[in-house]
Amino acid sequence: MKTTRRCRGLLSVSLNFFALFFSITAFITTYWCVGTQRVPKPKCSKLRTHQCIDYGVNETDPNKVVYSWETGDDRFLFRQFHTGIWYSCEENIHDESEMCRSFIDLAPASEKGMLWLSLVSEMLYIVLLVVGFSLMCLDLVHSSNVIDGLKLNAFAAVFTVLSGLLGMVAHVMYTQVFQVTVSLGPPDWRPYNWDYGWSFCMAWASFTCCMGASVTTLNSYTKTVIEFRHKRKTFEQSIREENAREAFGYYRERSVHSISKSVEVYPNQSLKSSRKTPIPADSLDLSDGAGSLGEEQC
């Protein structure tokens, strides 16, 4: 089934909309990377009697020290954390709330410049997606005008491709900054193990939809140009054929008219030439005629 230009435009708008939705969601959420952090168990108290280490003194004899025989990983708690572009949040071991810190403050000084560049690229990525989405919507509104639609298609494709490139660069730079922060970040923040979260997956899904929208828009542009050129070539060919038929009919009528005039002229001339010309009387020799008549009688 042949897709129309409007269907291709709707597909491009849909892909661009999903790319914009995914990018904004990933930009404002804090689940790019998730994992666990290993922190020492807190001291036990009257309010906290489990998941803690009792460093207290024997109540019956204050001079006797109570020892804890927990060793290895038993002396630590593993709390969950999740990190985004702006903030990193981890569980509070003292209650059920979360503590959030700025990821820009956690990044090493050598990586802050790249992190800011990643943030700027992400914002430009979203802005260019908005521009491309607006141009595609205008193309749907002016779908009846082919020339305006071609111009809007071209600009929308350019902006969408640029936004996709900026988004890819931003995602890669953030990934590099996070990996360096895992190794060189503050000791109380360094993850014990970590993996990429759903925000990171949405960011790359946004990039995929953006590239799909740009390819669809370019495809729509090229198909429209090819169809327009084909129609123009067919129209010009039909005009040439019509002109040739008109010229042929004109010359045929001229030839028939000239032949009919020739037929009218030449019969008159033949009739005139077939008439006998009168012989003058003085040119006849009567004596010669009488002599010849006498000879015939003899």
Side-chain angles (χ1 to χ4, degrees):
M1 182 178 178
K2 185 178 178 180
T3 58
T4 61
R5 179 169 170 266
R6 187 173 183 83
C7 292
R8 294 194 297 266
L10 286 173
L11 180 60
S12 300
V13 171
S14 301
L15 289 173
N16 201 312
F17 173 77
F18 284 116
L20 186 61
F21 174 75
F22 291 156
S23 62
I24 293 176
T25 304
F27 188 70
I28 62 178
T29 53
T30 59
Y31 287 88
W32 284 64
C33 299
V34 297
T36 57
Q37 295 171 335
R38 191 175 67 171
V39 295
K41 288 182 178 179
K43 183 180 178 181
C44 292
S45 62
K46 293 181 179 180
L47 298 177
R48 188 184 184 97
T49 58
H50 65 283
Q51 296 293 331
C52 60
I53 298 178
D54 189 4
Y55 294 105
V57 181
N58 193 342
E59 295 179 356
T60 59
D61 189 358
N63 294 324
K64 291 183 179 180
V65 179
V66 179
Y67 294 96
S68 174
W69 300 102
E70 293 181 346
T71 59
D73 289 340
D74 294 336
R75 301 177 62 249
F76 296 93
L77 288 177
F78 293 92
R79 63 182 181 185
Q80 302 292 324
F81 82 98
H82 50 91
T83 304
I85 293 180
W86 298 100
Y87 294 102
S88 176
C89 299
E90 57 264 3
E91 292 179 343
N92 191 348
I93 60 176
H94 299 289
D95 52 30
E96 296 181 355
S97 62
E98 284 187 344
M99 298 183 301
C100 295
R101 291 180 282 182
S102 174
F103 185 72
I104 299 174
D105 297 334
L106 296 174
S110 60
E111 301 297 322
K112 289 185 182 295
M114 185 175 291
L115 180 58
W116 278 110
L117 187 59
S118 174
L119 291 173
V120 172
S121 299
E122 285 286 349
M123 289 187 285
L124 288 176
Y125 169 56
I126 295 174
V127 170
L128 291 178
L129 276 178
V130 172
V131 174
F133 180 74
S134 302
L135 292 175
M136 291 178 186
C137 291
L138 286 175
D139 181 27
L140 287 179
V141 174
H142 296 280
S143 58
S144 58
N145 195 330
V146 178
I147 302 301
D148 292 341
L150 286 175
K151 293 178 181 179
L152 291 172
N153 263 334
F155 282 110
V158 169
F159 281 111
T160 309
V161 170
L162 289 178
S163 65
L165 294 176
L166 284 174
M168 181 184 65
V169 171
H171 303 342
V172 171
M173 286 192 297
Y174 175 80
T175 304
Q176 182 177 352
V177 171
F178 183 82
Q179 291 175 353
V180 174
T181 307
V182 168
S183 303
L184 303 178
D188 63 336
W189 178 85
R190 295 176 188 175
Y192 182 73
N193 53 43
W194 63 276
D195 200 355
Y196 297 108
W198 58 266
S199 297
F200 187 81
C201 296
M202 290 191 72
W204 282 106
S206 171
F207 168 76
T208 304
C209 292
C210 176
M211 288 293 99
S214 63
V215 170
T216 306
T217 306
L218 287 174
N219 185 31
S220 176
Y221 174 79
T222 53
K223 279 189 174 182
T224 305
V225 170
I226 292 173
E227 291 175 0
F228 183 74
R229 289 180 178 176
H230 178 70
K231 290 181 180 179
R232 182 177 179 181
K233 184 177 180 180
T234 305
F235 178 73
E236 290 178 352
Q237 185 176 359
S238 63
I239 291 296
R240 286 196 297 268
E241 291 177 356
E242 185 177 356
N243 291 335
R245 285 195 298 269
E246 290 180 357
F248 178 75
Y250 174 74
Y251 286 114
R252 185 176 61 181
E253 292 177 359
R254 289 290 302 275
S255 60
V256 170
H257 182 66
S258 60
I259 290 172
S260 61
K261 288 183 66 177
S262 302
V263 170
E264 291 177 358
V265 171
Y266 283 107
N268 294 332
Q269 292 181 356
S270 60
L271 289 174
K272 291 179 181 179
S273 60
S274 62
R275 292 177 183 176
K276 294 182 179 181
T277 55
I279 300 174
D282 54 356
S283 62
L284 295 175
D285 191 358
L286 297 177
S287 60
D288 294 338
S292 60
L293 182 60
E295 291 176 358
E296 290 179 358
Q297 292 176 355
C298 292

